[in-house]
Amino acid sequence: MSSWIFLMLACILAGFALLNLPLSGTFLAGIDPITTVIGLLAVLVFSLYLIIKGVLFIFRKL
């Protein structure tokens, strides 16, 4: 398995970490919506990229 796949999976995990980051009650509570949007975009973009690469790989094998 290529190392770029692990990098994409690490980016997805980092996006989930940003989504679950507890910032309420800290001085960073103001940037909570920003971290949520960045985490959501990271999960969506890297997941879609892996899905597209997987589908292309399957069709190349046919």
Side-chain angles (χ1 to χ4, degrees):
M1 193 180 294
S2 298
S3 63
W4 65 268
I5 293 175
F6 292 121
L7 177 65
M8 296 298 146
L9 290 174
C11 291
I12 293 170
L13 286 175
F16 278 121
L18 280 175
L19 285 174
N20 294 325
L21 192 64
L23 293 176
S24 60
T26 65
F27 68 96
L28 295 174
I31 64 167
D32 191 31
I34 296 171
T35 59
T36 302
V37 169
I38 291 172
L40 186 64
L41 286 175
V43 170
L44 287 176
V45 167
F46 291 113
S47 296
L48 285 175
Y49 179 77
L50 282 178
I51 290 170
I52 290 169
K53 291 298 268 189
V55 169
L56 290 176
F57 181 78
I58 289 172
F59 283 132
R60 223 179 289 144
K61 290 286 184 175
L62 294 178

